[in-house]
Amino acid sequence: MPLTTKRILSLAIPFLAAAGMMQATIISVSFQETLDLPAYSIDGPRVEQNLNVAFPSGGPQLTVANIISNPHPWTSSLNVSFDSTTNILSLTGDAANYYQVITVVLSNITFDAAQQVNGFAAVSTGNAVTSNISSAVPVSLTTAFTANSVTVSYFVNPAVQGNLFNLNTATDTFQLSLGPTGQVGSAPEPGTLMLMGFGFVGLMAFGRKSLVQAQPVLG
């Protein structure tokens, strides 16, 4: 069958369509963080919440202004920012306050197409430092994700009152990876799929040109 322009485009369209599908973006997120000192207080943690934030949105989306429960008399907080262009979550510390437990949750993540979270990993971390009044104890950091949520947790042994930590005005960052619904694991980036599609078009065009050149010249 001759590789006409129409035929080439019909073969390439599925690749280009897939590339278009991968360009979905996050359009809203609910934010919550808990900041706790269990060895010091039985009142429970400070809780900050900002629900159904629409994107694009200038950060930080979670600050001391978003307190819904505040048993501790803190005047500043760990700031939480999310960039829906890069899908990077940033946590910026405050030197004034030390904690024993920090948990940050982004939930009800909504997309403008059939997408989901299929990966979540630290990009730049290690800024959590322990208090000078404590011995050098490790600060545990864990991450987790579901199809529409991500969680970051910091923890230092709360059994000892001296075990406290903060991020010391530094920023830890984490990367969300998106993919089609039902897919787990890394997915090709939109640019990769676009290159595949255009490469396929180029290959077909080259093949068509070769076939034309190979036709015998009829006298």
Side-chain angles (χ1 to χ4, degrees):
M1 173 184 251
L3 289 175
T4 62
T5 301
K6 183 176 180 180
R7 174 66 174 163
I8 292 170
L9 289 175
S10 69
L11 292 171
I13 282 173
F15 288 92
L16 300 178
M21 289 174 60
M22 290 302 296
Q23 293 176 349
T25 58
I26 291 174
I27 57 175
S28 67
V29 177
S30 290
F31 295 82
Q32 180 172 302
E33 73 174 336
T34 60
L35 309 170
D36 203 4
L37 290 166
Y40 286 85
S41 172
I42 62 173
D43 296 329
R46 162 185 279 184
V47 179
E48 299 173 10
Q49 192 176 80
N50 193 2
L51 301 179
N52 301 317
V53 178
F55 285 90
S57 167
Q61 287 84 21
L62 206 56
T63 70
V64 70
N66 302 112
I67 295 171
I68 63 171
S69 174
N70 184 28
H72 304 295
W74 296 327
T75 56
S76 55
S77 184
L78 179 82
N79 288 345
V80 178
S81 302
F82 180 70
D83 186 336
S84 61
T85 301
T86 60
N87 295 324
I88 288 181
L89 171 66
S90 300
L91 309 181
T92 302
D94 58 312
N97 297 316
Y98 280 81
Y99 313 100
Q100 291 180 307
V101 180
I102 293 175
T103 303
V104 177
V105 179
L106 275 58
S107 62
N108 298 322
I109 300 175
T110 305
F111 308 88
D112 64 355
Q115 293 267 294
Q116 68 177 39
V117 178
N118 71 348
F120 183 55
V123 175
S124 176
T125 58
N127 292 303
V129 294
T130 53
S131 167
N132 290 332
I133 66 173
S134 69
S135 59
V137 293
V139 179
S140 299
L141 170 62
T142 61
T143 61
F145 70 93
T146 69
N148 67 344
S149 70
V150 298
T151 302
V152 176
S153 297
Y154 297 83
F155 172 86
V156 67
N157 185 0
V160 181
Q161 288 195 351
N163 287 351
L164 305 171
F165 72 94
N166 69 12
L167 266 65
N168 199 29
T169 71
T171 299
D172 281 357
T173 56
F174 305 82
Q175 178 74 62
L176 281 75
S177 300
L178 311 183
T181 53
Q183 177 177 321
V184 178
S186 59
E189 294 295 328
T192 301
L193 287 173
M194 289 293 287
L195 288 174
M196 288 170 60
F198 287 122
F200 186 80
V201 171
L203 180 61
M204 292 298 98
F206 177 79
R208 180 173 181 270
K209 181 179 179 182
S210 299
L211 286 173
V212 171
Q213 292 176 343
Q215 295 295 321
V217 177
L218 299 178

